[in-house]
Amino acid sequence: MQAVSQAVPVNTFKRALIAGTPQIGLWSVLPSPYISELVAGCGFDWVLLDTEHTPTDVPQMLQQLQAVAGAIPFEGGQASAAVVRPAWNDLVLIKRYLDIGAQTLLLPFVQNADEARAAVRAIRYAPEGVRGMGGSVRASNFGRIKDYIQTANEELCLLVQVETRDALEQLDAIANVDGIDGVFIGPADLSASMGHPGNPNHPEVRAAIDRAIDCIRACGKAAGILVVDETWARECIDRGALFVAVGVDLLILARGAEAMAARFKSTAAASVTSNY
């Protein structure tokens, strides 16, 4: 029996950004394949699988990627695309996440064009880059995709995170680096860097974010952000941000559970009071 030729999986998230189609996402920080499968089937276009601020490591992320790939989409739609955030813009971490099958990476704390160019080189094989040859890795379906090395770059999507005042000053140079597909603005860290920790809604921060989105778009790249306030999230989308995360799984669980507990406890307290 002749083997069927296999190709690198299509990166639907990257294709959507190229087409200018807004992608609505969910930020996932709960390090469990069970959770990853659940949220990937909820109907979001993409789900961010975080390792920067979670205890997730490479073996755990492998299981989360497998869970996302196996998710059954909600109401007949399409399961979410996985976006993996390594803990740092580090070529060893980047190599390991690519080898286990991540196709879209969001790299934190990129401060200048040199760091952006280093990220591009980290995802590419020589001679264009420095990604190590891993042999029959999961990304190549264990060697079954015969031309993986030659075609992988077409379906890899590289996003870099700009989250300080200094980085904003370098934004135009960062966004214009060839090989960068999108730039993500981190409101929380940016607000702290601008002297307003814990207050991303400060007018100075909001104005800086608006200018950043405009700059990224002018450079021909996709702009992204995480905003859990629905009104603000819609404003970012209207301004032209293409990949917008509108919620965090941990916050949905925690605040939802707290609200439910509060409702029932207040009802119970009222019932006790009415009996006296």
Side-chain angles (χ1 to χ4, degrees), residues 100-118:
I100 63 172
Q103 286 189 294
T104 301
L105 298 181
L106 172 61
L107 302 179
F109 208 78
V110 172
Q111 291 288 90
N112 53 55
D114 285 342
E115 293 181 5
R117 280 189 284 268

PDB file of all heavy atoms in Angstrom, residues 100-118:
ATOM      1  N   ILE A 100       6.977  20.206  19.559  1.00  0.00           N
ATOM      2  CA  ILE A 100       5.810  19.445  20.023  1.00  0.00           C
ATOM      3  C   ILE A 100       4.535  19.820  19.270  1.00  0.00           C
ATOM      4  O   ILE A 100       3.459  19.290  19.564  1.00  0.00           O
ATOM      5  CB  ILE A 100       5.585  19.563  21.540  1.00  0.00           C
ATOM      6  CG1 ILE A 100       5.285  21.004  21.955  1.00  0.00           C
ATOM      7  CG2 ILE A 100       6.769  18.988  22.305  1.00  0.00           C
ATOM      8  CD1 ILE A 100       4.856  21.150  23.401  1.00  0.00           C
ATOM      9  N   GLY A 101       4.646  20.757  18.316  1.00  0.00           N
ATOM     10  CA  GLY A 101       3.512  21.014  17.441  1.00  0.00           C
ATOM     11  C   GLY A 101       2.869  22.376  17.536  1.00  0.00           C
ATOM     12  O   GLY A 101       1.896  22.640  16.825  1.00  0.00           O
ATOM     13  N   ALA A 102       3.366  23.268  18.381  1.00  0.00           N
ATOM     14  CA  ALA A 102       2.818  24.623  18.412  1.00  0.00           C
ATOM     15  C   ALA A 102       3.098  25.299  17.073  1.00  0.00           C
ATOM     16  O   ALA A 102       4.222  25.246  16.577  1.00  0.00           O
ATOM     17  CB  ALA A 102       3.432  25.420  19.552  1.00  0.00           C
ATOM     18  N   GLN A 103       2.098  25.933  16.510  1.00  0.00           N
ATOM     19  CA  GLN A 103       2.281  26.627  15.234  1.00  0.00           C
ATOM     20  C   GLN A 103       2.206  28.143  15.377  1.00  0.00           C
ATOM     21  O   GLN A 103       2.648  28.871  14.491  1.00  0.00           O
ATOM     22  CB  GLN A 103       1.238  26.170  14.217  1.00  0.00           C
ATOM     23  CG  GLN A 103       1.481  24.777  13.659  1.00  0.00           C
ATOM     24  CD  GLN A 103       0.547  24.469  12.518  1.00  0.00           C
ATOM     25  OE1 GLN A 103      -0.670  24.366  12.699  1.00  0.00           O
ATOM     26  NE2 GLN A 103       1.082  24.311  11.324  1.00  0.00           N
ATOM     27  N   THR A 104       1.635  28.607  16.480  1.00  0.00           N
ATOM     28  CA  THR A 104       1.569  30.044  16.742  1.00  0.00           C
ATOM     29  C   THR A 104       2.139  30.308  18.122  1.00  0.00           C
ATOM     30  O   THR A 104       1.691  29.713  19.107  1.00  0.00           O
ATOM     31  CB  THR A 104       0.122  30.570  16.664  1.00  0.00           C
ATOM     32  OG1 THR A 104      -0.414  30.298  15.372  1.00  0.00           O
ATOM     33  CG2 THR A 104       0.073  32.064  16.922  1.00  0.00           C
ATOM     34  N   LEU A 105       3.122  31.194  18.186  1.00  0.00           N
ATOM     35  CA  LEU A 105       3.762  31.547  19.451  1.00  0.00           C
ATOM     36  C   LEU A 105       3.564  33.026  19.740  1.00  0.00           C
ATOM     37  O   LEU A 105       3.642  33.864  18.834  1.00  0.00           O
ATOM     38  CB  LEU A 105       5.261  31.250  19.408  1.00  0.00           C
ATOM     39  CG  LEU A 105       5.700  29.801  19.208  1.00  0.00           C
ATOM     40  CD1 LEU A 105       7.225  29.734  19.218  1.00  0.00           C
ATOM     41  CD2 LEU A 105       5.120  28.895  20.281  1.00  0.00           C
ATOM     42  N   LEU A 106       3.323  33.339  21.017  1.00  0.00           N
ATOM     43  CA  LEU A 106       3.279  34.716  21.502  1.00  0.00           C
ATOM     44  C   LEU A 106       4.422  34.884  22.488  1.00  0.00           C
ATOM     45  O   LEU A 106       4.419  34.274  23.564  1.00  0.00           O
ATOM     46  CB  LEU A 106       1.938  35.011  22.182  1.00  0.00           C
ATOM     47  CG  LEU A 106       1.811  36.355  22.900  1.00  0.00           C
ATOM     48  CD1 LEU A 106       2.008  37.505  21.926  1.00  0.00           C
ATOM     49  CD2 LEU A 106       0.455  36.469  23.589  1.00  0.00           C
ATOM     50  N   LEU A 107       5.412  35.687  22.122  1.00  0.00           N
ATOM     51  CA  LEU A 107       6.618  35.819  22.932  1.00  0.00           C
ATOM     52  C   LEU A 107       6.556  37.080  23.786  1.00  0.00           C
ATOM     53  O   LEU A 107       6.395  38.183  23.251  1.00  0.00           O
ATOM     54  CB  LEU A 107       7.848  35.857  22.031  1.00  0.00           C
ATOM     55  CG  LEU A 107       8.027  34.640  21.126  1.00  0.00           C
ATOM     56  CD1 LEU A 107       9.269  34.805  20.272  1.00  0.00           C
ATOM     57  CD2 LEU A 107       8.116  33.359  21.945  1.00  0.00           C
ATOM     58  N   PRO A 108       6.719  36.934  25.098  1.00  0.00           N
ATOM     59  CA  PRO A 108       6.580  38.083  25.988  1.00  0.00           C
ATOM     60  C   PRO A 108       7.812  38.985  25.990  1.00  0.00           C
ATOM     61  O   PRO A 108       8.917  38.576  25.639  1.00  0.00           O
ATOM     62  CB  PRO A 108       6.378  37.429  27.357  1.00  0.00           C
ATOM     63  CG  PRO A 108       7.110  36.132  27.263  1.00  0.00           C
ATOM     64  CD  PRO A 108       6.934  35.688  25.836  1.00  0.00           C
ATOM     65  N   PHE A 109       7.572  40.240  26.396  1.00  0.00           N
ATOM     66  CA  PHE A 109       8.621  41.195  26.753  1.00  0.00           C
ATOM     67  C   PHE A 109       9.668  41.375  25.654  1.00  0.00           C
ATOM     68  O   PHE A 109      10.865  41.304  25.894  1.00  0.00           O
ATOM     69  CB  PHE A 109       9.303  40.753  28.053  1.00  0.00           C
ATOM     70  CG  PHE A 109       9.875  41.912  28.844  1.00  0.00           C
ATOM     71  CD1 PHE A 109       9.066  42.719  29.600  1.00  0.00           C
ATOM     72  CD2 PHE A 109      11.229  42.187  28.799  1.00  0.00           C
ATOM     73  CE1 PHE A 109       9.589  43.794  30.321  1.00  0.00           C
ATOM     74  CE2 PHE A 109      11.772  43.265  29.519  1.00  0.00           C
ATOM     75  CZ  PHE A 109      10.950  44.063  30.273  1.00  0.00           C
ATOM     76  N   VAL A 110       9.193  41.616  24.448  1.00  0.00           N
ATOM     77  CA  VAL A 110      10.108  41.963  23.348  1.00  0.00           C
ATOM     78  C   VAL A 110      10.287  43.468  23.362  1.00  0.00           C
ATOM     79  O   VAL A 110       9.323  44.223  23.222  1.00  0.00           O
ATOM     80  CB  VAL A 110       9.558  41.458  22.004  1.00  0.00           C
ATOM     81  CG1 VAL A 110      10.400  41.990  20.842  1.00  0.00           C
ATOM     82  CG2 VAL A 110       9.542  39.933  21.995  1.00  0.00           C
ATOM     83  N   GLN A 111      11.533  43.920  23.516  1.00  0.00           N
ATOM     84  CA  GLN A 111      11.807  45.322  23.801  1.00  0.00           C
ATOM     85  C   GLN A 111      12.308  46.123  22.602  1.00  0.00           C
ATOM     86  O   GLN A 111      12.219  47.352  22.609  1.00  0.00           O
ATOM     87  CB  GLN A 111      12.859  45.424  24.913  1.00  0.00           C
ATOM     88  CG  GLN A 111      12.370  44.959  26.281  1.00  0.00           C
ATOM     89  CD  GLN A 111      11.394  45.932  26.899  1.00  0.00           C
ATOM     90  OE1 GLN A 111      10.179  45.831  26.688  1.00  0.00           O
ATOM     91  NE2 GLN A 111      11.902  46.892  27.656  1.00  0.00           N
ATOM     92  N   ASN A 112      12.828  45.445  21.584  1.00  0.00           N
ATOM     93  CA  ASN A 112      13.387  46.190  20.460  1.00  0.00           C
ATOM     94  C   ASN A 112      13.439  45.302  19.224  1.00  0.00           C
ATOM     95  O   ASN A 112      13.124  44.107  19.274  1.00  0.00           O
ATOM     96  CB  ASN A 112      14.783  46.725  20.806  1.00  0.00           C
ATOM     97  CG  ASN A 112      15.709  45.632  21.320  1.00  0.00           C
ATOM     98  OD1 ASN A 112      15.904  44.626  20.660  1.00  0.00           O
ATOM     99  ND2 ASN A 112      16.257  45.832  22.521  1.00  0.00           N
ATOM    100  N   ALA A 113      13.869  45.898  18.119  1.00  0.00           N
ATOM    101  CA  ALA A 113      13.888  45.168  16.854  1.00  0.00           C
ATOM    102  C   ALA A 113      14.889  44.022  16.869  1.00  0.00           C
ATOM    103  O   ALA A 113      14.654  42.985  16.236  1.00  0.00           O
ATOM    104  CB  ALA A 113      14.202  46.134  15.709  1.00  0.00           C
ATOM    105  N   ASP A 114      15.992  44.181  17.565  1.00  0.00           N
ATOM    106  CA  ASP A 114      16.975  43.091  17.632  1.00  0.00           C
ATOM    107  C   ASP A 114      16.374  41.855  18.295  1.00  0.00           C
ATOM    108  O   ASP A 114      16.603  40.726  17.835  1.00  0.00           O
ATOM    109  CB  ASP A 114      18.215  43.540  18.412  1.00  0.00           C
ATOM    110  CG  ASP A 114      19.101  44.478  17.606  1.00  0.00           C
ATOM    111  OD1 ASP A 114      18.967  44.510  16.367  1.00  0.00           O
ATOM    112  OD2 ASP A 114      19.922  45.188  18.222  1.00  0.00           O
ATOM    113  N   GLU A 115      15.617  42.062  19.367  1.00  0.00           N
ATOM    114  CA  GLU A 115      14.977  40.933  20.034  1.00  0.00           C
ATOM    115  C   GLU A 115      13.905  40.316  19.145  1.00  0.00           C
ATOM    116  O   GLU A 115      13.701  39.097  19.153  1.00  0.00           O
ATOM    117  CB  GLU A 115      14.407  41.376  21.378  1.00  0.00           C
ATOM    118  CG  GLU A 115      15.477  41.764  22.395  1.00  0.00           C
ATOM    119  CD  GLU A 115      14.904  42.177  23.740  1.00  0.00           C
ATOM    120  OE1 GLU A 115      13.670  42.082  23.927  1.00  0.00           O
ATOM    121  OE2 GLU A 115      15.699  42.592  24.605  1.00  0.00           O
ATOM    122  N   ALA A 116      13.212  41.144  18.379  1.00  0.00           N
ATOM    123  CA  ALA A 116      12.218  40.624  17.438  1.00  0.00           C
ATOM    124  C   ALA A 116      12.885  39.798  16.346  1.00  0.00           C
ATOM    125  O   ALA A 116      12.402  38.717  15.970  1.00  0.00           O
ATOM    126  CB  ALA A 116      11.418  41.772  16.832  1.00  0.00           C
ATOM    127  N   ARG A 117      14.015  40.292  15.834  1.00  0.00           N
ATOM    128  CA  ARG A 117      14.735  39.538  14.801  1.00  0.00           C
ATOM    129  C   ARG A 117      15.271  38.220  15.358  1.00  0.00           C
ATOM    130  O   ARG A 117      15.282  37.193  14.661  1.00  0.00           O
ATOM    131  CB  ARG A 117      15.877  40.388  14.236  1.00  0.00           C
ATOM    132  CG  ARG A 117      15.424  41.421  13.207  1.00  0.00           C
ATOM    133  CD  ARG A 117      16.601  42.073  12.521  1.00  0.00           C
ATOM    134  NE  ARG A 117      17.238  43.046  13.396  1.00  0.00           N
ATOM    135  CZ  ARG A 117      16.927  44.343  13.438  1.00  0.00           C
ATOM    136  NH1 ARG A 117      15.986  44.816  12.624  1.00  0.00           N
ATOM    137  NH2 ARG A 117      17.555  45.171  14.245  1.00  0.00           N
ATOM    138  N   ALA A 118      15.702  38.231  16.619  1.00  0.00           N
ATOM    139  CA  ALA A 118      16.175  36.987  17.247  1.00  0.00           C
ATOM    140  C   ALA A 118      15.048  35.966  17.325  1.00  0.00           C
ATOM    141  O   ALA A 118      15.268  34.763  17.133  1.00  0.00           O
ATOM    142  CB  ALA A 118      16.728  37.286  18.638  1.00  0.00           C
TER     143      ALA A 118
END
